């Protein structure tokens, strides 16, 4: 939850946020914050006008990809704990 509150204020617009998570629940929370800007989205978060533009609150981040990056097989072979690590990266929007 600290990421949703502190993340946008710590980065300048155009800055890049990288989060490495080791648990699926951490990764889910990171994904929601980067995609929606909050851990607890409301129906207004996804509301769109007739042209498909989002009407909800402005989103502080724009994810660079929809998928999280995982460790390669060579890294997992050297470090068994790396198999659960997920990397997500997002840019700070100019809101």
């Amino acid at each position: 939850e600290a990421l949703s509150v502190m993340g946008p204020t710590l980065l300048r617009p155009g800055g890049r946020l990288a989060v490495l998570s080791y648990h699926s629940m951490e990764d889910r929370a990171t994904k929601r914050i980067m995609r929606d800007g909050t851990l607890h989205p409301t129906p207004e978060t996804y509301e769109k006008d007739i042209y498909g533009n989002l009407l909800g609150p402005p989103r502080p981040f724009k994810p660079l990809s929809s998928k999280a990056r995982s460790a390669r097989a060579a890294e997992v072979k050297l470090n068994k704990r790396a198999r659960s690590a997920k990397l997500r990266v997002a840019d700070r929007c100019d809101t």
Side-chain angles (χ1 to χ4, degrees):
E1 288 190 41
L3 177 63
S4 65
V5 176
M6 298 288 292
T9 59
L10 293 175
L11 289 172
R12 292 181 183 167
R16 201 163 271 184
L17 176 71
V19 178
L20 193 60
S21 58
Y22 293 97
H23 190 272
S24 61
M25 294 301 287
E26 291 174 351
D27 186 50
R28 180 179 292 186
T30 302
K31 179 173 120 179
R32 284 184 178 167
I33 289 169
M34 288 184 176
R35 185 188 63 200
D36 302 329
T38 180
L39 270 178
H40 311 289
T42 60
E44 298 90 40
T45 306
Y46 303 110
E47 189 176 354
K48 296 181 180 181
D49 64 7
I50 61 172
Y51 300 107
N53 301 319
L54 291 169
L55 297 175
R59 295 193 163 86
F61 300 109
K62 180 183 177 203
L64 293 184
S65 68
S66 60
K67 300 279 184 181
R69 299 284 309 257
S70 299
R72 294 187 177 132
E75 174 68 24
V76 172
K77 193 174 191 179
L78 292 172
N79 180 6
K80 298 287 186 197
R81 293 177 287 180
R83 70 176 181 256
S84 64
K86 304 284 184 199
L87 175 68
R88 291 193 183 269
V89 183
D91 284 335
R92 169 81 155 71
C93 296
D94 299 328
T95 54

